[in-house]
Amino acid sequence: ENIYFADDFRQFQQQKNAVALLNAIYDYQKMTSFTNKKFAPPQDLMKELQDIVKKPTSMLLSNVDYKNWKLKEFLPKDGTKNPDSIVFVKLSQMPKSLEKDQLLSFQMLKVMNLIKDENQRNELFKKKFSEFQNSKYQIFVGSQLQVINNQQKGKPFPAIAFEDESGKKMSLAKFKGKYVVIDLWATWCAPCKEISPVFEYQANKYSYNDKLVFLSASIDADKNKWKLDLKNKKSAVIQWWISDPNVLNNLGVEGIPRFIMIDSEGKIYNANLPRPDETNFINIIDEISENDNFTVSF
């Protein structure tokens, strides 16, 4: 009761709650029926919710739930086979504005992440580039497109300057002919340390695969903190330090822990590998083990 919230924050919270309810209603009707009155929400409730979000605050415009709801509203209630195409048409019909820029960038990135062909992603960007009012959204979508392209399977992994504990320069070329599972972490990252024992367990579990390498790569700014941390623990996993983690920006690494797999030719196999405590992680490791006929060492 002693905390005062500014009016714009109160309004944003109210709008955000309204959007959450509108999304829930939409999803419920999609599972049941948009036309059957039996599943229709009270009209006065819908009007109240829509009135609340009629004039969205700047904070609401950047809210993911709001953008999802707005794009859903573009779609016909009887369904369609080409929802993304319809959304793009509706967006093209909107007058240039901040809201259009945010919705268009959101829709473009969503679709680009689903498109498998790089040329098609680039063509979509060229086609929609001029529809933005603010150049910062053009730049943002363009930079994210580059990240998406860089993350694709078969793309060259960026050259990274590694060092081992003794200060010797290291390179992934050392593991040519092997798959490398990389754990990006830092001594200050609590989630990294929580998942580290699982990564260690998986490394021991698959130690019989002589063409599979587990590598922990620290992005600590202070190399000495990393070295001190190594002295306090014993690990069977190879431990390297990255002197310039900024090169990882090209892969969209915005947070850690992050797991990446490199193939036997030094190219990206999976730029956003599931965490080692997830079933999909094990499935991917088992898949490459079967496909590459790893030999067993005793």
Side-chain angles (χ1 to χ4, degrees):
E1 62 188 23
N2 295 322
I3 299 176
Y4 173 76
F5 293 106
D7 290 339
D8 59 346
F9 183 75
R10 287 179 179 274
Q11 185 181 9
F12 166 65
Q13 290 297 326
Q14 185 182 30
Q15 290 183 337
K16 188 174 72 168
N17 292 335
V19 166
L21 189 50
L22 285 167
N23 267 314
I25 292 172
Y26 182 96
D27 293 341
Y28 172 72
Q29 288 189 284
K30 185 177 181 179
M31 291 187 296
T32 53
S33 172
F34 283 107
T35 56
N36 191 330
K37 293 182 179 180
K38 175 183 176 181
F39 304 104
Q43 292 185 356
D44 56 344
L45 172 63
M46 290 299 294
K47 183 179 184 306
E48 180 181 357
L49 294 174
Q50 289 166 351
D51 284 344
I52 291 174
V53 300
K54 186 176 292 184
K55 295 181 179 180
T57 62
S58 58
M59 287 188 288
L60 187 69
L61 290 177
S62 60
N63 180 268
V64 172
D65 288 339
Y66 175 75
K67 287 182 279 194
N68 272 322
W69 172 70
K70 286 294 292 185
L71 296 181
K72 289 175 184 176
E73 287 294 291
F74 288 146
L75 300 175
K77 301 302 183 185
D78 55 351
T80 176
K81 294 182 178 179
N82 301 298
D84 290 322
S85 298
I86 292 177
V87 168
F88 277 126
V89 170
K90 296 290 186 179
L91 287 170
S92 296
Q93 294 171 350
M94 288 181 66
K96 289 190 174 183
S97 63
L98 172 62
E99 182 172 19
K100 177 178 178 177
D101 284 353
Q102 294 191 328
L103 290 174
L104 179 59
S105 61
F106 182 76
Q107 172 69 3
M108 287 179 67
L109 292 176
K110 184 182 76 170
V111 173
M112 285 175 178
N113 274 297
L114 296 174
I115 295 175
K116 299 300 182 183
D117 184 78
E118 182 173 333
N119 291 327
Q120 290 182 14
R121 289 192 296 270
N122 294 337
E123 283 300 315
L124 175 61
F125 179 70
K126 291 178 182 178
K127 182 179 179 181
K128 297 296 179 181
F129 181 86
S130 61
E131 291 189 25
F132 289 104
Q133 173 180 277
N134 193 318
S135 60
K136 77 174 185 179
Y137 286 94
Q138 295 173 327
I139 295 171
F140 171 71
V141 175
S143 64
Q144 292 301 302
L145 170 61
Q146 190 61 50
V147 168
I148 294 171
N149 288 339
N150 291 341
Q151 289 180 338
Q152 298 307 303
K153 186 176 181 179
K155 283 283 187 174
F157 190 71
I160 297 178
F162 295 99
E163 291 183 21
D164 66 9
E165 189 177 0
S166 67
K168 183 180 178 181
K169 304 295 183 184
M170 306 301 292
S171 169
L172 290 176
K174 172 184 175 70
F175 306 119
K176 186 175 181 180
K178 301 182 179 183
Y179 281 77
V180 184
V181 184
I182 303 175
D183 168 22
L184 297 173
W185 73 289
T187 58
W188 44 261
C189 171
C192 297
K193 294 201 168 188
E194 288 178 4
I195 201 70
S196 177
V198 186
F199 189 71
E200 186 90 19
Y201 169 80
Q202 298 293 8
N204 289 325
K205 176 182 175 183
Y206 290 97
S207 60
Y208 64 85
N209 288 335
D210 64 355
K211 292 186 179 179
L212 182 62
V213 176
F214 283 76
L215 168 66
S216 282
S218 165
I219 65 167
D220 275 282
D222 188 341
K223 181 181 177 182
N224 289 325
K225 289 185 177 179
W226 166 68
K227 293 176 68 174
L228 180 62
D229 188 82
L230 293 186
K231 290 181 180 179
N232 295 329
K233 69 176 182 181
K234 292 183 179 180
S235 175
V237 174
I238 298 170
Q239 302 287 334
W240 286 357
W241 176 70
I242 300 176
S243 58
D244 182 18
N246 290 324
V247 297
L248 296 168
N249 294 338
N250 293 330
L251 290 177
V253 177
E254 298 177 346
I256 53 175
R258 173 75 175 265
F259 300 90
I260 299 173
M261 179 180 282
I262 311 303
D263 70 14
S264 56
E265 297 179 356
K267 297 179 181 180
I268 293 174
Y269 187 84
N270 192 314
N272 198 359
L273 197 66
R275 296 193 177 194
D277 58 350
E278 297 180 26
T279 302
N280 285 342
F281 178 93
I282 299 172
N283 292 340
I284 292 171
I285 300 295
D286 289 342
E287 178 185 350
I288 64 170
S289 298
E290 294 171 2
N291 292 342
D292 281 72
N293 297 316
F294 287 163
T295 59
V296 180
S297 300
F298 293 99

